[in-house]
């Protein structure tokens, strides 16, 4: 009996021992491992996993083919025999996504067993790059069971839900950026910085016969011009061979450029460093020292933004300094720099003038773009505009562009300031508003017609911004009669362009402030006939010279145009006209030649004309119609009003410029400019005097706006 019991115990122990070594815990088995001994199952599993990875894994396009690195992977074989990734750590989201895809392609295998029952099992291993099986050691990197206690990081990861695991990888996801910056600005709602030299580069492309473009309302948006001009291709032609980071940033790229799937933005420095000499000045050199920051960006496909901030000190040619000081606003500041803003005194004979421009651009539908910001607008196809120009300081604006069929309809509302001493209330500048409508219609493949209307009103009697003028369709004249004829100042205008060929077009404008048909037919040259017109022509690839453009333009505006008997209702802002730089009472001829080859560019310009100035000598304080800041009721006579009346002055401005585009991404240019100015009045006063000067200037400038020195 004792012998039987001892034998039974030995058999039972043997059975238990056998179960410990076989059924207790068996690894997962691929089909190719079914006949493998238990002790070799881990090795076979290891080999099969790597075999599938090497055959299935495709290096993402965003990863360099010579990439060297590693990836940590934790995965699980479920109790159903399916593969499931638990955690993946790699430097790129694309690598993680590819690893996840590969494991999803694994076949279903026989799961691990514990005491004969199916169970899950988790493993961890490192995957090394480049993935070249021949170069790996004979013993492949081990795929080991993930040993986790309740406090380990791996255990915490393994216990996370799918949503929690996704959340833990969110930072890596938003950090994703394409390795190659594609410059999404070129198809965005961002405005192309408006300078005549910049726009010359694609002016012919948007003016070819048959295009349905609308070229008068500026600045243009990249998404509009990209239909006719390939910015990416043209930029590629200008690229220099640059290997180092510094050389790329200097010659080809934005200082900072970041791009993701649904966002992009760029950052560039703004520089305008100039040094020159004015032969008529009683001081040493002229100079300008501007530093700033230029930011552009986009969120999604519908919203873009831009901001430029300038800090500047400068001293210019003598005539320009005197003109800036003649624009002086109320208060201690000595000048307004034309086109920039109010300036403080810097040292004894220079100016400190900050400026800023910014806007949001939103396109809720294909046919509508809305912009709100602080900047400038321009309407016209010429060098000058008699409708709305960019010669004044920046101002707040709201702008709607509606484009459909052959129509582009532009609505602009602006908040302006009258900064004269007489207009100040409680030491605050007086606010006024301008609402503009401009309808552009491509009548045919060759002919474009534009219609313009504008109304100016001020913030008096708590009127504020008159909601009547928010109506984008109504004629302003009707509203003016409703609110009282003295409550606002309305101006009408028209523009036109005819394409003679792909290489030539003619254009024009007509501005009407007030008109008396009886006085015209009577031939008495009444003061009431306040109007002006522009005629111009452009000739591209002139005389078969590629990229040479010649332009001729004639402008004429009769006295008292743009002015009003309530001075604050004039067509002006910050003591500067909102249309032509010369105000009114002038004739002007403009001749321009522009040329570019690769990064080089050149310009020659002649501006000559006749103007009429007020006398203001104490005995004759009449308004002769040139200064839009004078009351037109202070005129010396009602009839016989002619252009050039008052102090008749002839002026000549001639300039030549040679430049080099240093960086096409930031529009940084190096240049040298030589200009000659002759200002010859029939009589001299304290503010109108004879002047003849040569001004040579050279420097480096981020070209973001027009700067007019042809006063």
């Amino acid at each position: 009996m004792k012998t039987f019991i001892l034998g039974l115990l030995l058999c039972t122990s043997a059975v238990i021992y056998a179960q410990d070594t076989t059924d207790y815990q068996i690894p997962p088995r691929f089909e190719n491992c079914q006949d493998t001994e238990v002790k070799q199952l881990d090795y076979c599993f290891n080999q099969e996993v790597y075999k599938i990875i090497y055959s299935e894994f495709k290096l993402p396009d965003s990863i360099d083919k010579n990439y060297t690195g590693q990836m940590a992977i934790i995965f699980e074989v479920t109790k159903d025999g399916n593969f499931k990734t638990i955690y993946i750590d790699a430097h790129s989201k694309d690598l993680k996504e590819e690893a996840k895809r590969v494991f999803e392609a694994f076949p279903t295998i026989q799961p691990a067993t514990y005491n004969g029952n199916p169970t899950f099992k988790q493993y961890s291993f490192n995957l090394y790059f480049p993935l070249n099986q021949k170069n790996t050691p004979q013993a492949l990197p081990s795929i080991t069971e993930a040993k986790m206690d309740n406090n380990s990081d791996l255990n915490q990861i393994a216990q996370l839900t799918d949503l929690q695991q996704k959340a833990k990888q969110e930072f890596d996801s938003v950090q994703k950026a394409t390795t190659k910056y594609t410059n999404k600005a070129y198809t965005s709602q961002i405005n192309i910085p408006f300078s005549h030299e910049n726009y010359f580069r694609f002016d012919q492309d948007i003016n070819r016969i048959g295009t349905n473009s609308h070229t008068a309302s500026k600045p243009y948006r990249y998404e509009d011009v990209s239909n006719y001009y390939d910015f990416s291709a043209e930029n590629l032609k200008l690229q220099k061979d640059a290997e180092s980071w510094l050389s790329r940033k200097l010659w080809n790229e934005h200082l900072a450029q970041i791009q993701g799937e649904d966002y992009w933005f760029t950052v560039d420095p703004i520089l305008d460093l100039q040094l020159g000499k004015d032969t008529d000045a009683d001081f040493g050199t002229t100079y300008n020292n501007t530093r700033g920051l230029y930011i552009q960006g986009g969120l999604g496909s519908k919203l873009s933004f831009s901001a430029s901030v300038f800090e500047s000190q400068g001293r210019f040619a003598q005539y320009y300094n005197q003109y800036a000081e003649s624009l002086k606003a109320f208060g201690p500041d000595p000048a307004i720099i034309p086109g920039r803003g109010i300036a403080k005194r810097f040292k004894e004979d220079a100016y400190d003038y900050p400026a800023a421009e910014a806007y949001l651009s939103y396109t809720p539908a294909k046919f509508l773009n809305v912009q709100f910001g602080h900047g400038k607008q321009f309407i016209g196809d010429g060098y000058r505009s008699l409708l709305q120009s960019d010669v004044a300081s920046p101002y707040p604006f709201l702008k709607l562009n509606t484009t459909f069929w052959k129509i582009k309809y532009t609505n602009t509302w602006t908040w302006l300031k009258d900064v004269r001493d007489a207009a100040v209330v409680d030491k605050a500048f007086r606010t006024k508003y301008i609402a503009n409508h401009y309808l552009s219609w491509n009548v045919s493949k060759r002919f474009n017609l534009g219609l313009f209307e504008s109304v100016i009103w001020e913030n008096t009697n708590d009127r504020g911004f008159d909601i009547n003028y928010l109506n984008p369709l109504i004629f302003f004249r009707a509203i003016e009669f409703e609110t009282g004829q003295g409550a606002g100042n309305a101006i009408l205008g028209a523009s036109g362009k005819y394409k003679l060929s792909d290489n030539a077009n003619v254009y024009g404008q007509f501005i009407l402030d007030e008109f008396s048909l009886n006085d015209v037919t009577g031939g008495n040259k009444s003061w009431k006939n306040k109007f002006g017109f522009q005629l111009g022509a452009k000739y591209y690839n002139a005389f078969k010279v590629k990229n040479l453009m010649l332009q001729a333009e004639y402008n004429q505006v009769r006295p008292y145009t743009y002015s009003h008997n309530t001075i604050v209702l004039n067509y002006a802002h910050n003591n500067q006209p909102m249309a032509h730089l010369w105000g009114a009472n002038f004739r002007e001829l403009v001749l321009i030649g522009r040329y570019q080859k690769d990064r080089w560019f050149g310009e020659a310009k002649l501006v000559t004309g006749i103007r009429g100035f007020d006398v203001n000598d104490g005995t004759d304080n009449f308004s002769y119609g040139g200064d839009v800041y004078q009351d037109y009721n202070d005129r010396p006579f009602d009839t016989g009003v002619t252009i050039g009346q008052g102090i008749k002055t002839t002026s000549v401005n001639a300039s030549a410029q040679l430049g080099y585009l240093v960086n096409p991404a930031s529009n940084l240019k190096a240049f040298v400019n030589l200009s000659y100015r002759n200002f010859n009045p029939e009589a001299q006063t304290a503010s109108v005097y004879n002047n003849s000067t040569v001004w040579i200037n050279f420097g480096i400038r981020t070209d973001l706006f027009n700067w007019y020195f042809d006063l």
Side-chain angles (χ1 to χ4, degrees):
M1 187 65 178
K2 292 181 179 179
T3 304
F4 173 75
I5 294 174
L6 180 60
L8 181 61
L9 289 174
L10 289 174
C11 290
T12 303
S13 299
V15 171
I16 294 174
Y17 177 79
Q19 288 180 337
D20 278 346
T21 58
T22 56
D23 290 341
Y24 176 68
Q25 185 172 348
I26 298 178
R29 282 154 288 180
F30 283 89
E31 185 176 355
N32 292 341
C33 301
Q34 291 294 341
D35 298 329
T36 304
E37 296 181 5
V38 173
K39 294 181 180 180
Q40 297 296 319
L41 280 178
D42 284 324
Y43 178 77
C44 185
F45 178 82
N46 192 78
Q47 295 290 324
E48 291 298 315
V49 168
Y50 273 110
K51 184 187 298 183
I52 295 175
I53 290 176
Y54 278 117
S55 63
E56 291 289 333
F57 198 99
K58 308 297 182 187
L59 202 64
D61 293 338
S62 61
I63 305 300
D64 188 277
K65 63 181 181 180
N66 296 319
Y67 167 68
T68 301
Q70 65 180 4
M71 174 191 301
I73 300 175
I74 301 175
F75 69 92
E76 175 183 309
V77 180
T78 69
K79 65 179 181 179
D80 297 320
N82 297 316
F83 283 80
K84 176 183 176 182
T85 53
I86 302 299
Y87 177 73
I88 303 175
D89 184 22
H91 95 289
S92 165
K93 183 182 177 182
D94 289 345
L95 283 173
K96 296 178 183 179
E97 292 296 330
E98 176 61 13
K100 185 176 179 181
R101 183 197 67 80
V102 170
F103 272 88
E104 289 174 350
F106 269 60
T108 300
I109 65 174
Q110 188 173 343
T113 59
Y114 183 84
N115 284 342
N117 297 314
T119 187
F120 73 92
K121 198 167 186 180
Q122 294 177 343
Y123 295 90
S124 65
F125 74 108
N126 290 330
L127 187 63
Y128 295 91
F129 298 91
L131 290 178
N132 187 339
Q133 193 170 10
K134 293 181 180 179
N135 292 335
T136 59
Q138 289 183 355
L140 291 170
S142 178
I143 299 177
T144 59
E145 184 177 355
K147 301 294 184 180
M148 298 176 289
D149 56 49
N150 291 332
N151 297 320
S152 70
D153 290 339
L154 292 179
N155 189 52
Q156 293 177 29
I157 293 172
Q159 293 175 359
L160 295 178
T161 66
D162 290 342
L163 179 62
Q164 291 169 334
Q165 292 172 28
K166 181 179 179 181
K168 286 182 68 67
Q169 299 181 32
E170 183 179 19
F171 183 80
D172 292 334
S173 175
V174 299
Q175 269 199 313
K176 178 185 177 184
T178 56
T179 56
K180 183 178 181 181
Y181 184 76
T182 58
N183 209 330
K184 291 186 176 182
Y186 290 159
T187 54
S188 73
Q189 295 85 35
I190 287 290
N191 291 337
I192 306 172
F194 176 45
S195 80
H196 293 295
E197 199 284 321
N198 288 346
Y199 279 35
F200 156 62
R201 292 179 176 267
F202 49 78
D203 199 45
Q204 181 181 15
D205 294 276
I206 61 176
N207 278 291
R208 297 184 189 278
I209 294 174
T211 59
N212 193 32
S213 60
H214 299 269
T215 58
S217 182
K218 299 179 177 74
Y220 305 142
R221 301 193 309 277
Y222 277 107
E223 66 176 355
D224 292 334
V225 179
S226 62
N227 294 325
Y228 315 103
Y229 181 84
D230 192 336
F231 288 97
S232 296
E234 295 300 322
N235 183 64
L236 187 61
K237 294 177 183 177
L238 298 175
Q239 295 296 294
K240 286 179 173 289
D241 292 332
E243 297 296 333
S244 69
W245 179 90
L246 182 61
S247 60
R248 293 199 314 272
K249 298 303 175 182
L250 175 62
W251 299 112
N252 298 330
E253 298 179 358
H254 298 284
L255 177 62
Q257 50 189 35
I258 297 177
Q259 177 177 307
E261 293 180 356
D262 56 358
Y263 64 89
W264 66 272
F265 69 87
T266 63
V267 180
D268 289 295
I270 294 175
L271 296 175
D272 190 351
L273 309 176
Q274 303 182 28
L275 191 64
K277 177 64 179 177
D278 173 18
T279 59
D280 187 56
D282 54 5
F283 50 77
T285 57
T286 65
Y287 70 90
N288 189 66
N289 177 19
T290 293
R291 299 87 55 215
L293 198 63
Y294 183 37
I295 301 172
Q296 298 182 98
L299 299 173
S301 61
K302 296 182 178 181
L303 179 66
S304 299
F305 58 89
S306 175
S308 53
V309 182
F310 307 79
E311 172 60 32
S312 307
Q313 294 81 38
R315 179 174 61 203
F316 310 96
Q318 184 73 12
Y319 77 89
Y320 198 80
N321 295 337
Q322 291 171 336
Y323 177 65
E325 295 193 7
S326 74
L327 302 177
K328 180 185 181 306
F330 167 81
D333 298 318
I336 292 179
I337 304 301
R340 296 285 79 200
I342 295 175
K344 300 184 296 182
R345 177 65 67 194
F346 180 70
K347 297 184 177 180
E348 295 182 358
D349 54 4
Y351 310 100
D352 189 325
Y353 59 101
E357 298 187 34
Y359 62 88
L360 292 173
S361 181
Y362 179 59
T363 303
K366 184 178 181 180
F367 59 85
L368 179 65
N369 175 259
V370 183
Q371 294 191 359
F372 178 68
H374 190 263
K376 304 181 186 182
Q377 309 299 318
F378 187 98
I379 296 177
D381 286 290
Y383 177 69
R384 307 289 200 190
S385 174
L386 306 185
L387 304 182
Q388 184 176 19
S389 184
D390 60 340
V391 300
S393 307
Y395 43 79
F397 69 89
L398 173 64
K399 182 177 181 180
L400 271 66
N401 276 316
T402 307
T403 308
F404 62 96
W405 188 50
K406 303 174 184 179
I407 298 291
K408 182 175 183 179
Y409 189 43
T410 302
N411 301 92
T412 311
W413 295 270
T414 59
W415 288 254
L416 308 181
K417 295 293 184 181
D418 190 326
V419 298
R420 295 171 299 125
D421 290 3
V424 170
V425 178
D426 296 330
K427 297 184 179 181
F429 299 140
R430 185 176 295 184
T431 300
K432 64 179 183 179
Y433 312 93
I434 294 182
N436 290 343
H437 293 168
Y438 180 71
L439 176 68
S440 173
W441 175 28
N442 287 326
V443 181
S444 70
K445 293 182 179 181
R446 295 177 181 265
F447 179 55
N448 172 270
L449 175 65
L451 300 176
F452 173 82
E453 65 172 344
S454 176
V455 66
I456 306 101
W457 75 99
E458 65 168 322
N459 184 17
T460 57
N461 300 321
D462 297 324
R463 183 183 183 189
F465 188 92
D466 195 330
I467 196 171
N468 287 294
Y469 296 114
L470 281 178
N471 189 332
L473 300 177
I474 197 167
F475 287 101
F476 288 144
R477 271 292 185 184
I479 296 179
E480 188 186 13
F481 277 104
E482 277 186 16
T483 56
Q485 295 189 39
N489 178 21
I491 296 174
L492 300 177
S495 68
K497 180 178 64 180
Y498 188 81
K499 303 172 185 177
L500 300 172
S501 69
D502 284 351
N503 288 324
N505 63 65
V506 293
Y507 60 89
Q509 289 184 339
F510 179 77
I511 186 72
L512 177 62
D513 192 355
E514 192 171 347
F515 186 73
S516 174
L517 182 60
N518 291 334
D519 290 323
V520 171
T521 56
N524 59 4
K525 298 180 180 178
S526 170
W527 75 277
K528 295 180 182 179
N529 292 318
K530 299 184 290 182
F531 62 86
F533 66 88
Q534 175 189 86
L535 291 174
K538 293 180 181 179
Y539 181 21
Y540 307 104
N541 298 324
F543 306 112
K544 298 183 179 180
V545 178
K546 187 178 181 181
N547 296 327
L548 172 64
M549 186 197 76
L550 301 179
Q551 181 177 6
E553 181 176 301
Y554 176 78
N555 297 292
Q556 173 179 309
V557 178
R558 279 182 55 79
Y560 308 109
T561 307
Y562 306 117
S563 62
H564 200 268
N565 59 353
T566 303
I567 297 176
V568 72
L569 295 180
N570 62 5
Y571 197 50
H573 163 62
N574 263 19
N575 289 341
Q576 301 154 86
M578 283 290 288
H580 196 288
L581 178 64
W582 289 0
N585 192 13
F586 67 86
R587 293 188 181 93
E588 177 195 43
L589 175 66
V590 179
L591 301 175
I592 301 175
R594 301 185 191 276
Y595 177 75
Q596 65 149 325
K597 182 175 177 56
D598 301 325
R599 295 197 181 204
W600 292 95
F601 64 92
E603 175 193 87
K605 181 170 61 178
L606 173 66
V607 178
T608 183
I610 296 174
R611 306 164 67 179
F613 289 90
D614 297 338
V615 178
N616 291 332
D617 62 355
T619 60
D620 183 352
N621 295 318
F622 292 110
S623 169
Y624 286 91
D627 185 354
V628 300
Y629 275 91
Q630 296 297 319
D631 184 345
Y632 58 56
N633 283 335
D634 294 335
R635 57 188 180 275
F637 33 74
D638 292 341
T639 59
V641 173
T642 60
I643 291 177
Q645 66 180 20
I647 300 178
K648 186 176 182 179
T649 303
T650 59
S651 67
V652 176
N653 284 273
S655 65
Q657 181 176 228
L658 176 65
Y660 183 78
L661 181 59
V662 178
N663 189 323
S666 63
N667 218 19
L668 182 67
K669 300 174 180 178
F671 68 93
V672 57
N673 186 83
L674 178 66
S675 63
Y676 166 75
R677 180 179 187 264
N678 183 275
F679 195 78
N680 188 16
E682 290 182 341
Q684 297 194 65
T685 68
S687 58
V688 181
Y689 51 91
N690 190 287
N691 168 259
S692 181
T693 186
V694 175
W695 186 17
I696 185 169
N697 207 27
F698 65 92
I700 186 166
R701 178 181 181 225
T702 305
D703 192 9
L704 301 179
F705 58 89
N706 290 310
W707 209 339
Y708 301 96
F709 293 98
D710 39 24
L711 304 174

